[in-house]
Amino acid sequence: MIPVQLTLEGLYSYQERQSIDFFHLTEAGLFGIFGAVGSGKSSILEAISFALYGETERLNKQDKRAYNMMNLKANKSFIQFDFINHENKNFRVQREFRRNSKKFDDVKPVQATFYEKHNENWIPLDHSDCEKIIGLSYANFKRTIIIPQGQFKEFLELGATERTNMMKEIFSLQQYDLQNNASILNNKNTAALHQLEGQLKGFEDINEENISIQIELLETEKQKFENINIEFKKAEDHFRQLKNLKTDFQLLNSKKENFAKLLTEKEKIDALEAKTDLYDKISCAFNPLISEKEKLQSELHQLQKEQALNAELLKETLLKVDQNKKEFEAVLPKYETLSNSKIQENDLNLIFQMLTYSTDIKSLKERTENGFAKVKEVENFQKTIKEKISGLHAQLENLRPKKLDTNLLLNVGNWFSEQRNLSDSFQKQTSKITEIKTGLLKIEEELQPFNIDTENFPQECRLKMDRLESDKTKSLAKKSQLEVQQQLAHFVDELHDGKSCPLCGSLQHPHIVEIDDVTAEMNLLNEHLAQIDFQQKEIQSQISVVEKILERKKLQQSQLNTEEENLNEIKIQVENHQNLFIWKEFNPQNETEFLSKKSESFAIEKQIDDLQKQISAEQENLEKSQKQLDKFNEALQDFKLKEHEVETKITTNEANLKILRWNDYLEKSVSEVGKLHSDLSKTNLETEQNYQNLKKQEQELAVKLSAEETTKKELEKRSLSLKEEISKNNSQINNALTENKFAYLHEIEPLLAQKIDVAAAKNQIQKFRIEFETLKNGISELETKLEGFNFDENRFTEAETQFKTLETEKTNANNAVIKISSEIDRLVMEFSKKENLLKEFSKLQKRAENLKIMTNLFKGAGFVQYVSSIYLRQLCDQANIRFHRMTRNQLSLQLNENNDFEIIDYLNEGRSRSVKTLSGGQAFQVSLSLALALAESVQTNARADKNFFFIDEGFGTQDLESVNVVFETLTSLQKENRIVGIISHVEELKEKIPVSLNIRKDEERGSLIEVM
């Protein structure tokens, strides 16, 4: 993440809206934010963290965070932060919250809004999850990008589990947490194994031996089936011949019996045929005529009903026509005078309007009189306000000369403020010099026990070390000679005839050298070498201690010279500043007098502001009253226009009167005239409606009467036609009776009442004739076929028994063959399945062994911890590059077996110790090195072109030399394309950093941001 711009307002000590443009700061690579304690430096980082994550280090949700973050003089807080993420995309986040105007401590923050920049436009995002944009949680953001106060050593002191979880999130080590995956695979494999074991239990009897036995058994059963099948075919042919003969004899007997039955039914069929023919002839002749007769009789009866109904309706219509004529004659005289009555109705309406207009004129005149009174009242009020404004202007002119110039007060105030700052700086600088001189005296006291000449000390130590080294070299050479003699003596003691010499291999040793025992001399020489080593270590230790003391003295002396130069510069600044006081109105030695006059001037300025506010308020009142006066005048003018309009309407209405006279109604009230008009209007409307209704009813009755008379004529005509058709039908029936030799119609009614189904009866007769002839011919054919044959039941029974016995044996033999064949097929198929299951079982067993190894490897996130430890060791290696430089290779950082950080102390034989034993300054150095390495790894992992790192503490724990070393380390980061921001109050750093912001806290305006 690279910051671009931060805007904040009403947050902590920041009252006014201010912006920080990070472009020039980040371009420098290294920049600082400086200011006194409590000036608001750390609030800048708090604003960034809160804008992005809604979290801060100082406050949590239970601390009424929104209320406590808002400046007590502000009613709203605003944060806007623009930044570039690791994908080189531009984002913006805004947060704003306001104070409840009715409840001071009620401040509720709103949800953050994130934007992404596209083509110079800020497009809102559909989420507010900063972690998706930056790729870090808040906890890891404050460990790798912005490290707030109190959190600098957090990563160093984290427990192994928490540190592993952090590494897991930052470096996406979740991909190595394969415990669940391995467990799932193992469970699936185990379930599959159990399932296969269960399946294989059902294949215990499936083997090649059982398949061979079944194949041999199948061959035996097949041969048995062939033998039985030959005998069965012979018996089957003999049985079929006998069965066919039996069937023919049985069929002949059955047909003879059926033919005898048909002979008894033949007489009935003949009678049915005669009866059916007679019924068919009579029904064809008379049924249509009788149906036609019944139809005509029904139509005649219905027609007579319609004639009776028509006569009744015609009588009623004639009565209504007479009634309508009488009512029409009664209303006609009123209708003829209706036009005259309507003119009177219109005149009454005009008179009603004129009376209403007269009432409106009276009301308008009253409102006009009231309006004139209001106008007078407003004019008097305006006069009072103008007199008051003149008095206020006079007071304002008297006060203005007494007020001091604001720029004058500001310049003099700035001079006194700078005077105080210089005085404070002079006192602080004097105190620093005193402290440094005291420190130099203490260093001199530390050197006194060594009783050395500080100028010649290095040369003397070097001469001592050279002498000891020379003595040591000689002693070691002598020791080597003694060791050779000692080894030769050992070889001499081991030489015996017959045993090979370790040097030449000879088995004979004629001339054995005699060598003296050098053990005592060797022991003395070892003691002497040990004494030399001890003296060297003593001298080295003394050199190390004295060099440190001298180095400190050198630094203190250098610092003393620097501080004395700074003191002289401050004295010059004080003198120059005194010469800048050019204001004769004030005394440079009396700031109290200046403050008093400043307060008086502010009081006068407040009085002037109050007077100006009063004048503005009165002028507003004057403008309001003028608007009111204009409104009243407009209303009066409107009243006069309306009064004229109403008078014109009365004159117009009077001219439009045709029958009635206006003077006859002047004394009447509006309600009386309104009632007269309403009554007359109602009477006229009733007369017109009655006339129209009767006229319409007359027309409707005429049409209805005409229709009913026409219907009467049509019914009479239809009645005559029906009577003619009935007469014709009777003649046709009489002719049919004569043709069929009947005298009367009732003679054929019993015959027609039989209701014979002619088609069914003829079908039954035809079917009998066909069956009779077919059966007769069948008997003749069978008798011809069986001529010369006879049937023996006992012989047939014996053949049937033999056939069924052989058929059963054949079926059993065939079933046995099929059963054995099926069993062989089943065994072969199951044997193939068993082979496949055994292969799969073998694969699963091998997989189970591999999965067991994987499960043990990934159990308890062990693999993640292993990968995490690799990342941690890489971090250690990267951190040590800077940590060694800061500690002059005296300390080193390492991981122990539990993945906890330890310190290697090379001044104590390279032994390890806890990081908690480090001093404050050393802890800062190792934390800085580790934090830089962690930030570098995180942002390298994100593949960002540049990366950013912010530090908010730690430099106050460093001495001058350490500050220089740290500064060199931070400066070198620029070459690595790193951007580092520093928050500090250490003056030495402020002087070294070329680009920085200065945070100054003004008593009235709050914290102010100044670019240095």
Side-chain angles (χ1 to χ4, degrees):
M1 183 205 75
I2 306 296
V4 176
Q5 187 173 35
L6 173 68
T7 301
L8 66 166
E9 176 188 358
L11 191 76
Y12 289 124
S13 57
Y14 291 88
Q15 295 180 32
E16 304 173 0
R17 179 168 292 201
Q18 300 175 73
S19 295
I20 299 175
D21 185 356
F22 284 97
F23 177 75
H24 296 294
L25 299 177
T26 54
E27 278 291 309
L30 177 64
F31 66 90
I33 298 178
F34 297 97
V37 175
S39 60
K41 303 184 298 297
S42 298
S43 298
I44 293 174
L45 299 192
E46 290 254 347
I48 294 174
S49 298
F50 185 71
L52 292 172
Y53 292 93
E55 297 285 347
T56 63
E57 282 306 297
R58 299 190 210 177
L59 303 166
N60 54 38
K61 292 181 180 178
Q62 288 73 29
D63 295 330
K64 295 176 66 176
R65 178 162 53 203
Y67 167 75
N68 286 304
M69 286 181 70
M70 183 179 285
N71 187 280
L72 293 175
K73 294 182 180 180
N75 290 321
K76 77 167 184 176
S77 293
F78 175 80
I79 309 172
Q80 178 177 290
F81 181 51
D82 296 355
F83 62 95
I84 300 171
N85 77 338
H86 59 277
E87 297 174 327
N88 208 28
K89 295 180 180 179
N90 284 278
F91 289 91
R92 169 177 288 176
V93 58
Q94 283 185 355
R95 285 185 189 266
E96 183 175 357
F97 42 99
R98 296 178 179 273
R99 194 186 302 280
N100 190 333
S101 58
K102 297 180 180 179
K103 190 175 180 182
F104 186 79
D105 59 351
D106 183 13
V107 181
K108 295 179 180 178
V110 297
Q111 187 75 13
T113 304
F114 282 84
Y115 303 85
E116 185 176 357
K117 194 172 186 180
H118 289 288
N119 300 325
E120 302 304 321
N121 294 319
W122 290 104
I123 308 300
L125 300 182
D126 59 357
H127 67 87
S128 57
D129 189 353
C130 179
E131 193 168 338
K132 290 182 180 178
I133 298 171
I134 296 181
L136 292 172
S137 65
Y138 173 63
N140 292 327
F141 177 80
K142 67 181 184 178
R143 292 167 181 157
T144 58
I145 293 182
I146 291 181
I147 303 182
Q149 285 183 344
Q151 302 295 320
F152 201 65
K153 296 192 295 181
E154 181 184 1
F155 178 60
L156 184 67
E157 296 175 352
L158 278 178
T161 302
E162 293 175 339
R163 191 182 299 113
T164 299
N165 291 335
M166 174 183 170
M167 302 296 287
K168 185 177 177 180
E169 177 186 334
I170 290 176
F171 295 106
S172 301
L173 303 185
Q174 297 90 341
Q175 58 184 320
Y176 301 112
D177 190 0
L178 303 175
Q179 179 181 357
N180 290 336
N181 295 348
S183 178
I184 291 169
L185 291 174
N186 189 39
N187 292 337
K188 286 182 179 179
N189 193 73
T190 302
L193 271 174
H194 291 330
Q195 186 177 0
L196 279 177
E197 286 176 354
Q199 291 178 0
L200 285 169
K201 286 181 180 178
F203 292 89
E204 292 176 352
D205 297 333
I206 306 300
N207 51 58
E208 293 180 347
E209 184 180 353
N210 285 341
I211 294 173
S212 299
I213 292 172
Q214 291 295 326
I215 291 172
E216 292 175 0
L217 184 60
L218 177 64
E219 293 297 325
T220 303
E221 290 296 330
K222 280 183 177 180
Q223 187 61 44
K224 182 179 178 182
F225 173 77
E226 291 295 331
N227 296 333
I228 292 173
N229 193 38
I230 293 169
E231 294 180 9
F232 171 76
K233 285 182 178 180
K234 293 178 181 179
E236 183 182 22
D237 292 338
H238 180 62
F239 175 70
R240 187 182 298 110
Q241 292 173 359
L242 291 175
K243 187 176 180 181
N244 290 338
L245 187 62
K246 179 181 179 181
T247 302
D248 288 343
F249 275 103
Q250 287 177 342
L251 181 61
L252 179 61
N253 294 332
S254 174
K255 286 187 176 184
K256 286 180 178 180
E257 291 175 0
N258 291 334
F259 187 73
K261 291 178 182 179
L262 291 178
L263 285 174
T264 59
E265 292 180 7
K266 190 172 183 304
E267 293 179 0
K268 293 180 181 179
I269 294 299
D270 292 340
L272 177 64
E273 185 174 13
K275 186 177 179 180
T276 301
D277 291 341
L278 178 61
Y279 176 80
D280 187 29
K281 179 182 177 183
I282 293 172
S283 63
C284 288
F286 289 97
N287 273 343
L289 295 173
I290 293 170
S291 297
E292 181 67 17
K293 182 179 181 179
E294 291 174 352
K295 177 185 174 186
L296 292 171
Q297 291 291 344
S298 175
E299 287 181 4
L300 180 61
H301 180 69
Q302 182 65 30
L303 184 62
Q304 289 171 349
K305 284 184 179 179
E306 289 179 5
Q307 285 178 326
L309 179 62
N310 176 256
E312 193 71 29
L313 291 173
L314 185 60
K315 184 179 179 181
E316 289 179 3
T317 303
L318 289 171
L319 290 173
K320 287 181 181 179
V321 168
D322 292 339
Q323 181 69 26
N324 176 264
K325 186 176 181 181
K326 292 176 182 178
E327 291 177 358
F328 187 77
E329 290 173 352
V331 80
L332 186 60
K334 293 181 181 180
Y335 182 74
E336 289 174 348
T337 61
L338 183 62
S339 59
N340 228 10
S341 183
K342 282 192 173 182
I343 293 171
Q344 288 183 5
E345 179 187 344
N346 186 56
D347 285 355
L348 281 174
N349 185 41
L350 292 173
I351 291 169
F352 176 78
Q353 292 178 2
M354 292 161 71
L355 288 172
T356 304
Y357 294 152
S358 299
T359 305
D360 291 342
I361 289 172
K362 291 178 183 179
S363 175
L364 287 170
K365 286 181 177 180
E366 290 176 1
R367 294 178 70 181
T368 302
E369 291 175 2
N370 293 334
F372 278 121
K374 283 285 185 183
V375 168
K376 191 67 176 175
E377 182 182 338
V378 173
E379 287 175 347
N380 293 333
F381 179 69
Q382 283 186 335
K383 185 178 179 182
T384 305
I385 291 175
K386 289 176 181 178
E387 291 173 355
K388 191 172 182 181
I389 290 173
S390 299
L392 292 171
H393 273 298
Q395 293 180 35
L396 188 63
E397 292 301 322
N398 291 333
L399 285 173
R400 276 177 177 164
K402 298 177 182 179
K403 177 180 171 295
L404 295 174
D405 182 51
T406 304
N407 290 330
L408 173 65
L409 292 174
L410 181 62
N411 293 332
V412 176
N414 289 338
W415 187 91
F416 277 112
S417 177
E418 184 64 23
Q419 178 72 8
R420 288 196 304 273
N421 291 338
L422 289 172
S423 179
D424 292 343
S425 297
F426 184 81
Q427 291 177 1
K428 289 179 181 178
Q429 199 64 26
T430 305
S431 300
K432 280 185 182 179
I433 291 171
T434 304
E435 289 176 3
I436 293 170
K437 288 180 178 179
T438 304
L440 284 170
L441 291 174
K442 289 181 180 178
I443 290 172
E444 291 293 341
E445 292 175 0
E446 291 178 22
L447 288 172
Q448 286 179 2
F450 295 101
N451 193 21
I452 58 172
D453 182 3
T454 55
E455 293 182 1
N456 299 322
F457 173 72
Q459 291 83 355
E460 292 177 359
C461 290
R462 191 161 49 252
L463 289 173
K464 289 181 181 178
M465 290 295 289
D466 290 344
R467 286 197 296 269
L468 288 171
E469 190 64 33
S470 176
D471 190 5
K472 185 177 182 180
T473 302
K474 294 177 181 177
S475 298
L476 286 173
K478 188 174 181 181
K479 182 180 179 182
S480 297
Q481 295 175 359
L482 293 175
E483 286 174 346
V484 171
Q485 291 181 15
Q486 199 172 31
Q487 190 65 33
L488 288 173
H490 175 70
F491 288 147
V492 168
D493 292 338
E494 293 296 322
L495 289 176
H496 302 286
D497 289 337
K499 184 178 181 181
S500 61
C501 176
L503 297 177
C504 63
S506 175
L507 297 176
Q508 296 179 354
H509 318 291
H511 304 291
I512 297 174
V513 179
E514 293 184 3
I515 299 175
D516 297 332
D517 185 9
V518 295
T519 303
E521 189 175 357
M522 190 73 169
N523 291 337
L524 289 173
L525 190 58
N526 283 334
E527 289 178 3
H528 181 64
L529 285 169
Q531 185 65 29
I532 291 172
D533 288 339
F534 176 75
Q535 290 178 8
Q536 284 181 327
K537 287 182 180 179
E538 283 290 320
I539 293 171
Q540 185 65 42
S541 175
Q542 185 180 18
I543 291 171
S544 177
V545 172
V546 172
E547 280 184 347
K548 286 183 179 180
I549 295 172
L550 292 175
E551 189 68 26
R552 281 164 50 209
K553 180 180 178 182
K554 182 180 179 182
L555 287 172
Q556 290 280 46
Q557 188 61 49
S558 174
Q559 191 174 359
L560 178 62
N561 296 335
T562 302
E563 298 300 339
E564 285 178 345
E565 289 176 1
N566 292 339
L567 183 62
N568 291 330
E569 289 179 3
I570 292 172
K571 287 178 180 178
I572 293 169
Q573 290 176 4
V574 170
E575 292 175 2
N576 292 337
H577 187 65
Q578 288 290 336
N579 295 331
L580 292 175
F581 195 87
I582 57 174
W583 303 281
K584 297 178 181 180
E585 299 92 334
F586 304 104
N587 184 356
Q589 307 303 324
N590 193 348
E591 185 179 1
T592 305
E593 179 189 0
F594 163 72
L595 294 174
S596 175
K597 289 182 179 181
K598 181 180 178 182
S599 298
E600 290 175 3
S601 180
F602 283 162
I604 292 170
E605 186 175 5
K606 188 177 183 307
Q607 291 177 17
I608 290 172
D609 289 341
D610 291 341
L611 286 172
Q612 288 176 339
K613 288 178 182 177
Q614 290 180 32
I615 291 170
S616 298
E618 294 301 332
Q619 286 176 341
E620 287 179 6
N621 291 334
L622 184 62
E623 290 175 1
K624 287 180 182 177
S625 64
Q626 184 60 43
K627 289 180 181 178
Q628 194 175 18
L629 182 62
D630 294 341
K631 183 179 177 182
F632 289 151
N633 286 327
E634 288 176 5
L636 286 173
Q637 189 67 27
D638 188 44
F639 292 157
K640 289 179 181 179
L641 289 172
K642 285 182 178 179
E643 186 177 345
H644 178 70
E645 288 175 3
V646 172
E647 288 174 350
T648 304
K649 288 179 180 178
I650 291 173
T651 304
T652 304
N653 283 5
E654 186 176 3
N656 289 328
L657 293 174
K658 295 180 179 179
I659 296 176
L660 303 178
R661 295 176 60 195
W662 167 237
N663 291 335
D664 295 339
Y665 292 88
L666 285 174
E667 301 300 326
K668 293 186 180 291
S669 66
V670 175
S671 60
E672 288 176 342
V673 175
K675 188 174 185 310
L676 289 172
H677 174 264
S678 175
D679 293 343
L680 183 59
S681 176
K682 185 177 179 182
T683 302
N684 291 339
L685 181 63
E686 288 177 354
T687 299
E688 187 174 9
Q689 286 179 346
N690 288 337
Y691 178 82
Q692 297 293 339
N693 290 337
L694 289 170
K695 197 71 176 174
K696 182 180 178 183
Q697 189 176 3
E698 182 185 8
Q699 293 172 355
E700 290 175 352
L701 287 171
V703 172
K704 187 176 181 183
L705 183 63
S706 175
E708 288 173 354
E709 288 176 345
T710 303
T711 302
K712 180 181 177 182
K713 293 177 182 178
E714 288 292 329
L715 289 173
E716 290 174 349
K717 186 177 179 181
R718 177 62 182 153
S719 178
L720 290 173
S721 176
L722 277 174
K723 287 177 180 178
E724 290 176 359
E725 289 180 7
I726 290 171
S727 176
K728 185 179 179 181
N729 177 260
N730 288 330
S731 298
Q732 291 174 346
I733 290 174
N734 291 329
N735 292 333
L737 288 171
T738 304
E739 289 176 4
N740 289 283
K741 299 178 181 180
F742 288 100
Y744 302 101
L745 186 63
H746 63 82
E747 293 178 4
I748 64 172
E749 288 177 354
L751 295 174
L752 294 175
Q754 294 178 7
K755 300 293 182 182
I756 296 173
D757 188 348
V758 175
K762 287 184 176 181
N763 186 40
Q764 180 183 356
I765 293 165
Q766 185 181 9
K767 185 178 179 182
F768 176 81
R769 301 289 184 201
I770 292 170
E771 185 180 0
F772 183 83
E773 292 298 326
T774 301
L775 194 57
K776 182 179 177 182
N777 294 331
I779 291 171
S780 176
E781 289 175 359
L782 283 172
E783 285 177 343
T784 303
K785 179 182 178 181
L786 295 174
E787 187 176 359
F789 288 97
N790 59 5
F791 176 72
D792 187 351
E793 185 67 33
N794 293 330
R795 186 182 172 191
F796 174 79
T797 303
E798 290 175 1
E800 183 180 20
T801 303
Q802 184 183 10
F803 169 76
K804 288 183 178 179
T805 302
L806 289 172
E807 185 180 36
T808 303
E809 290 178 357
K810 177 190 173 184
T811 302
N812 292 336
N814 186 50
N815 289 340
V817 170
I818 293 171
K819 183 178 180 181
I820 295 170
S821 298
S822 299
E823 180 64 13
I824 291 171
D825 292 340
R826 185 188 73 81
L827 289 173
V828 171
M829 187 182 296
E830 293 298 308
F831 186 75
S832 176
K833 287 182 182 179
K834 182 178 180 180
E835 287 182 331
N836 293 332
L837 289 174
L838 287 171
K839 290 178 182 177
E840 185 65 23
F841 189 76
S842 177
K843 289 180 183 178
L844 290 175
Q845 281 183 323
K846 291 180 181 178
R847 183 171 174 79
E849 294 173 0
N850 295 331
L851 286 172
K852 184 177 181 182
I853 295 171
M854 290 175 66
T855 302
N856 292 332
L857 176 62
F858 299 128
K859 188 176 182 181
F863 192 60
V864 176
Q865 292 177 358
Y866 168 72
V867 177
S868 174
S869 66
I870 294 173
Y871 276 90
L872 283 172
R873 295 184 192 283
Q874 291 175 351
L875 284 177
C876 273
D877 294 340
Q878 294 174 9
N880 277 327
I881 295 171
R882 297 184 177 93
F883 189 44
H884 291 164
R885 193 186 311 152
M886 293 182 189
T887 61
R888 297 194 187 87
N889 295 321
Q890 294 176 2
L891 300 176
S892 182
L893 186 67
Q894 74 169 13
L895 280 176
N896 62 15
E897 296 176 352
N898 299 322
N899 275 351
D900 288 327
F901 287 118
E902 287 184 344
I903 295 297
I904 303 298
D905 191 345
Y906 293 112
L907 294 180
N908 290 286
E909 300 179 355
R911 299 182 185 277
S912 62
R913 56 188 173 96
S914 171
V915 293
K916 296 179 181 179
T917 61
L918 294 172
S919 66
Q922 292 172 331
F924 169 76
Q925 291 172 345
V926 70
S927 298
L928 174 62
S929 302
L930 193 57
L932 288 170
L934 180 61
E936 186 176 38
S937 297
V938 169
Q939 299 186 60
T940 300
N941 191 51
R943 299 179 181 177
D945 295 334
K946 290 185 178 181
N947 47 60
F948 178 72
F949 185 70
F950 223 126
I951 307 169
D952 182 14
E953 66 173 321
F955 296 99
T957 61
Q958 304 294 295
D959 56 29
L960 181 60
E961 183 181 2
S962 297
V963 168
N964 291 331
V965 174
V966 170
F967 179 75
E968 290 175 5
T969 300
L970 296 177
T971 303
S972 66
L973 294 175
Q974 297 179 61
K975 301 175 183 177
E976 303 170 17
N977 216 15
R978 302 286 298 280
I979 301 168
V980 179
I982 298 169
I983 290 182
S984 179
H985 58 272
V986 177
E987 291 295 328
E988 288 79 1
L989 279 175
K990 185 175 181 180
E991 295 171 359
K992 294 177 180 291
I993 295 177
V995 179
S996 63
L997 299 177
N998 185 57
I999 310 300
R1000 179 173 61 84
K1001 190 170 184 181
D1002 188 271
E1003 293 180 0
E1004 296 181 359
R1005 299 171 62 193
S1007 295
L1008 301 174
I1009 301 170
E1010 300 173 346
V1011 180
M1012 302 295 289

